[in-house]
Amino acid sequence: MTVESTAARKTTRRSSGTKRTASASTSTTKKTSTRAEAVATEPELVQLLTPEGERVQHPDYDIDLSAEELRGLYRDMVLTRRFDAEATSLQRQGELGLWASLLGQEAAQIGSGRALRDDDYVFPTYREHGVAWVRGVDPTNLLGMFRGVNHGGWDPSTNNFHLYTIVLGSQTLHATGYAMGIAKDGADSAVLAYFGDGASSQGDVNESFVFSAVYNAPVVFFCQNNQWAISEPTEKQTRVPLYQRAAGFGFPGVRVDGNDVLACLAVTRWALERARNGEGPTLIEAFTYRMAAHTTSDDPTKYRRDEEREAWEAKDPIQRLKTYMENEGHADAAFFEELEAESEALGKQVREVVRAMPVPEHMAIFDNVYADGHALVDEERAEFAAYQASFANGEAE
Amino acid sequence: MAVQKLPLAKALNESLRKALETDPKVLIMGLDVGKLGGVFRITEGLQKDFGEDRVIDTPLAESGIVGTAIGLALRGYRPVVEIQFDGFVFPAYDQIVTQLAKIRARSLGTVKMPVVIRIPYGGGIGAVEHHSESPESLFAHVAGLKVVTPANSSDAYWMLQQAIQSDDPVIFFEPKRRYWDKGEVDTEAIPGELHKARVAREGTDLTLVAYGPMVKTCLEVAEAAAEEGKSIEVVDLRSISPIDFDTIQASVEKTRRLVVVHEAPVFFGSGAEIAARITERCFYHLEAPVLRVGGYHAPYPPARLEEEYLPGLDRVLDAVDRSLAY
Ligand SMILES: Cc1ncc(C[n+]2csc(CCOP(=O)(O)OP(=O)(O)O)c2C)c(N)n1
């Protein structure tokens, strides 16, 4: 943005963050000797709100939020969950071809998403409905590709929220390149890139770590470790906790309780601030759980046990914030009632919009293939139009 | 029981089971192939019966899957790799094209590369982006690879085992929208050659050449055309590299007309290769130019438009009429 901010970027480089990485990563190095342990341990999760809804302090990542801000986070999570539930049932009713549910990951997405500034840029994968929500993307826009009427359907620059990416990990390189561009421009915004524990195995993700470190790009990698990549547990991707990988690439990695919205917000804020200050990338591993099936096509009973899910239910991100707010008097009964009504209205609106979503014109197949036009596309479009027309004439006869 | 009626998917499963039983060097590798049995259940039950050392769940990294399969092949194994969907083979494309395809030639024929890469391909299942593509010509264009695709349960059963027995890398495309179609499998038959085309229906007026998912469509076309008094021959190509041009030529010399049908975009597609070669071979026999029906030069569309994009009965019949009108 300004010359000063570039200068600031340079002077503060590598000033903070290293201490945190060290403290976060040393705590588990002894514990990764066997495969089972590598997954079972939950080393020093940054946590500010326990599963019981108790507020705890953290020396490095504490945060001070007003009652109104807390209610805002709660509202985001409840509405996101409602939206997700509506999409799931729309899929069951045949209105959507597929749905990838975020159930259980609301805190990871809302917490990280609320750490963003408007001028930051987000690169999601395909499950970041909560992040889209906080970016102000109309949630019904997310449903077009799942209904099969488009492959994205929004202009990424409107809300600085890129299109969903289905090929795993590809977007982390785009995020890094975008961040390199920000640095070149001397701007002080940052990029937040999402991916899953499974995607962390992809070459692209590892290459994005290399590039972002080498170019000191202002990008924050936010890995939602929801424990599963379809049927594969995280242990099929890694023998060390994922956040520790960052160290090998030369930037800090932090593991945060992904079901704790306050911790996700605090840690992401810190990492985005580092990026803005010219201190380069950070990897955040949000330790969370995919409560639903991978997508509506998946059958988790084939590979995971009910007890596992039940254990994670006790860590529900929404319930714990609710308990805390109630105990501290941050919200009254009226707030929860109003929110309930708002949820219902959102569900209804989503249902109506989806059902009314038009199937695109047939000719749309040929739209937007090239910016400058292409003789073959023009020829095929004309042939296709003539063919469709002959059909219509035939019916009319 | 030698003859069974099996869905194409189950025939593939039985074929893999047979291969694992027959040769201890055969390995299955891929995403979710173990407990889940693959997203299409092609490997269902195999890990349970053959163990995690033979049916290997891999990290989520296609380049890694194919790259390590190459190493395992160098060590004497015969890896059968599953790529989850057509659109996800590209992270592995580098390994396939720059390494897998060339190692035999570079080693002056001393090194075998018995790697099979199974790829469910094609559209018609209402999926999201990257789950419906037909990238076969991108592989057929590469020397050193063989590319095949079964159209029915019997071929699924036999061709997969033949591919596994081959010392060359084989890209094995599975027509995913036909996975649930049932067909007879004679597990004691003597199979035809892997790279030989099959006349799926005899006819005298025109030849339709198709492979994989389009064979069924073309048989339906022939059925519909027969009601209008047209006699259509359908050739199921089975192998896209190499292509059995002799069988196509014999058919075209008889019918004098050829329409090639595939789901992949027509532009630079396998139909172009067939049209060019058959024009050379059958120039004096042809009564009409070779026509092609396939996808457009546009990204595979969203699911609600795929029926417009994919060659269906009407579009193929239209091409048949155009050819017959010459
Ligand atoms: C390159 C690539 N390979 C395979 C797939 C198929 N696929 C879709 S989602 C998925 C699992 C992803 O797991 P993870 O990265 O942990 O994210 P999650 O879905 O759990 O959020 C797979 C294998 C894909 N989309 N892209």
Side-chain angles (χ1 to χ4, degrees):
Chain A
M1 203 175 275
T2 60
V3 183
E4 288 100 304
S5 60
T6 323
R9 195 182 268 296
K10 296 232 169 74
T11 49
T12 52
R13 185 176 291 176
R14 290 206 185 85
S15 61
S16 68
T18 35
K19 187 193 84 196
R20 292 179 174 104
T21 332
S23 68
S25 56
T26 48
S27 58
T28 54
T29 41
K30 284 184 253 90
K31 289 202 162 190
T32 53
S33 51
T34 71
R35 190 178 296 199
E37 271 176 352
V39 184
T41 48
E42 293 183 23
E44 295 213 339
L45 292 178
V46 175
Q47 193 178 69
L48 298 178
L49 196 58
T50 68
E52 294 72 36
E54 201 185 315
R55 185 75 168 78
V56 288
Q57 305 299 316
H58 191 285
D60 294 322
Y61 303 101
D62 214 28
I63 195 169
D64 192 19
L65 296 178
S66 67
E68 196 189 339
E69 286 170 314
L70 290 168
R71 287 195 299 270
L73 293 172
Y74 183 80
R75 176 177 173 274
D76 287 337
M77 290 199 288
V78 167
L79 294 181
T80 301
R81 180 170 288 187
R82 183 68 178 85
F83 165 71
D84 186 73
E86 196 60 43
T88 302
S89 71
L90 283 165
Q91 195 282 332
R92 301 237 162 85
Q93 293 156 19
E95 301 287 346
L96 301 178
L98 183 81
W99 183 242
S101 167
L102 67 28
L103 186 64
Q105 298 178 222
E106 295 87 352
Q109 296 193 13
I110 300 301
S112 58
R114 281 291 176 212
L116 290 156
R117 272 188 351 207
D118 282 352
D119 59 337
D120 293 336
Y121 211 100
V122 173
F123 286 83
T125 162
Y126 46 74
R127 205 189 286 286
E128 271 68 69
H129 321 312
V131 188
W133 169 264
V134 301
R135 293 308 277 170
V137 176
D138 177 345
T140 56
N141 279 353
L142 304 175
L143 299 171
M145 76 183 274
F146 293 99
R147 188 171 168 84
V149 299
N150 60 43
H151 286 319
W154 62 88
D155 174 356
S157 64
T158 308
N159 303 87
N160 284 3
F161 185 80
H162 189 61
L163 298 164
Y164 276 179
T165 301
I166 289 180
V167 179
L168 290 162
S170 292
Q171 77 283 0
T172 57
L173 281 167
H174 313 155
T176 301
Y178 193 96
M180 287 161 62
I182 289 176
K184 276 187 192 304
D185 293 345
D188 74 340
S189 47
V191 175
L192 189 51
Y194 290 85
F195 61 98
D197 49 307
S200 74
S201 296
Q202 286 285 341
D204 278 4
V205 172
N206 290 275
E207 292 182 27
S208 72
F209 289 174
V210 172
F211 274 71
S212 63
V214 165
Y215 294 106
N216 205 44
V219 56
V220 175
F221 298 104
F222 196 90
C223 175
Q224 289 173 83
N225 177 358
N226 64 11
Q227 313 301 325
W228 292 92
I230 311 188
S231 76
E232 306 297 355
T234 309
E235 74 176 66
K236 273 274 136 52
Q237 318 295 339
T238 183
R239 294 292 305 276
V240 299
L242 285 171
Y243 75 93
Q244 290 183 5
R245 284 210 184 150
F249 290 93
F251 52 88
V254 185
R255 182 179 267 186
V256 59
D257 183 340
N259 287 17
D260 171 353
V261 70
L262 302 186
C264 289
L265 174 61
V267 170
T268 313
R269 241 184 215 173
W270 165 78
L272 287 169
E273 209 43 49
R274 281 189 81 247
R276 287 185 220 298
N277 292 337
E279 294 166 61
T282 304
L283 171 62
I284 299 171
E285 177 190 2
F287 205 72
T288 181
Y289 193 72
R290 188 193 86 206
M291 299 298 288
H294 168 68
T295 66
T296 44
S297 305
D298 174 42
D299 175 9
T301 61
K302 295 238 177 216
Y303 55 83
R304 79 179 186 191
R305 294 144 55 91
D306 289 346
E307 298 90 88
E308 185 185 288
R309 193 198 134 109
E310 283 155 21
W312 277 91
E313 255 162 32
K315 303 181 195 177
D316 186 79
I318 297 185
Q319 186 53 46
R320 78 168 76 169
L321 184 59
K322 185 175 192 192
T323 307
Y324 171 62
M325 293 197 322
E326 282 175 337
N327 289 348
E328 299 294 316
H330 290 317
D332 55 14
F335 167 76
F336 294 108
E337 273 162 35
E338 276 166 32
L339 186 53
E340 181 59 31
E342 200 183 345
S343 292
E344 279 316 303
L346 175 69
K348 186 159 173 280
Q349 185 224 344
V350 167
R351 206 157 54 237
E352 282 166 5
V353 174
V354 166
R355 292 204 169 125
M357 245 178 219
V359 175
E361 286 296 316
H362 298 163
M363 298 309 287
I365 290 174
F366 302 98
D367 290 348
N368 304 311
V369 184
Y370 295 95
D372 295 336
H374 185 289
L376 176 68
V377 175
D378 294 345
E379 188 186 315
E380 288 188 350
R381 181 194 279 118
E383 278 170 17
F384 184 81
Y387 175 68
Q388 295 285 333
S390 76
F391 221 59
N393 294 343
E395 273 166 13
E397 273 161 24
Chain B
M1 187 172 57
V3 182
Q4 291 168 277
K5 214 161 174 172
L6 297 177
L8 195 150
K10 181 70 180 154
L12 292 167
N13 176 268
E14 290 294 334
S15 182
L16 289 171
R17 175 175 292 280
K18 187 74 191 293
L20 286 163
E21 273 166 10
T22 313
D23 183 349
K25 293 293 184 188
V26 170
L27 303 175
I28 292 181
M29 301 169 63
L31 306 177
D32 304 293
V33 296
K35 277 202 187 113
L36 187 64
V39 290
F40 287 110
R41 309 288 183 266
I42 307 301
T43 56
E44 184 138 60
L46 298 179
Q47 189 180 65
K48 192 168 130 274
D49 295 342
F50 295 92
E52 291 183 24
D53 285 341
R54 305 276 316 275
V55 181
I56 303 167
D57 277 318
T58 64
L60 211 173
E62 287 79 5
S63 180
I65 296 171
V66 173
T68 55
I70 292 172
L72 282 158
L74 289 171
R75 182 71 195 173
Y77 286 91
R78 304 186 89 85
V80 183
V81 160
E82 175 170 307
I83 296 293
Q84 207 152 61
F85 278 92
D86 34 70
F88 306 142
V89 70
F90 296 103
Y93 195 63
D94 171 39
Q95 285 288 342
I96 296 171
V97 172
T98 69
Q99 307 302 319
L100 182 65
K102 294 186 163 66
I103 288 177
R104 181 182 163 83
R106 291 180 58 217
S107 69
L108 304 180
T110 57
V111 174
K112 296 174 190 163
M113 266 297 128
V115 176
V116 174
I117 300 178
R118 296 180 33 240
I119 308 177
Y121 81 124
I125 63 162
V128 293
E129 227 191 342
H130 312 299
H131 291 69
S132 304
E133 291 160 19
S134 300
E136 61 271 16
S137 53
L138 298 177
F139 295 89
H141 193 66
V142 177
L145 302 176
K146 289 179 171 171
V147 183
V148 302
T149 174
N152 57 41
S153 299
S154 175
D155 275 350
Y157 181 80
W158 286 112
M159 288 171 68
L160 183 52
Q161 285 177 74
Q162 292 169 318
I164 295 169
Q165 282 153 19
S166 168
D167 285 336
D168 288 317
V170 181
I171 313 295
F172 191 90
F173 280 107
E174 300 172 1
K176 69 170 88 82
R177 72 157 123 164
R178 307 296 182 214
Y179 272 150
W180 304 278
D181 288 358
K182 283 190 174 179
E184 277 188 4
V185 179
D186 181 349
T187 55
E188 277 155 31
I190 295 166
E193 283 170 51
L194 179 58
H195 300 290
K196 198 151 170 43
R198 172 181 73 102
V199 178
R201 178 186 171 117
E202 306 242 7
T204 51
D205 298 339
L206 180 143
T207 301
L208 285 177
V209 165
Y211 51 82
M214 281 294 114
V215 173
K216 182 177 180 185
T217 305
C218 287
L219 288 169
E220 287 165 3
V221 167
E223 198 67 35
E227 283 167 26
E228 298 167 10
K230 296 166 198 158
S231 168
I232 296 202
E233 181 145 310
V234 178
V235 175
D236 172 4
L237 207 55
R238 298 172 78 250
S239 175
I240 303 165
S241 177
I243 287 177
D244 172 10
F245 287 106
D246 292 347
T247 298
I248 308 174
Q249 180 176 354
S251 176
V252 172
E253 283 176 2
K254 180 171 69 169
T255 66
R256 297 172 167 259
R257 288 183 163 83
L258 174 61
V259 177
V260 189
V261 183
H262 51 62
E263 289 189 13
V266 166
F267 192 52
F268 277 89
S270 49
E273 185 59 41
I274 295 168
R277 300 252 177 191
I278 291 302
T279 303
E280 258 179 59
R281 286 185 178 216
C282 305
F283 190 68
Y284 293 108
H285 287 92
L286 285 167
E287 299 280 352
V290 180
L291 300 181
R292 293 169 287 159
V293 185
Y296 301 106
H297 188 63
Y300 193 90
R304 304 254 169 164
L305 290 180
E306 70 179 339
E307 288 310 323
E308 310 299 327
Y309 177 94
L310 290 167
L313 208 64
D314 288 321
R315 267 177 64 204
V316 182
L317 278 170
D318 186 63
V320 165
D321 288 345
R322 276 189 288 133
S323 176
L324 289 169
Y326 274 91

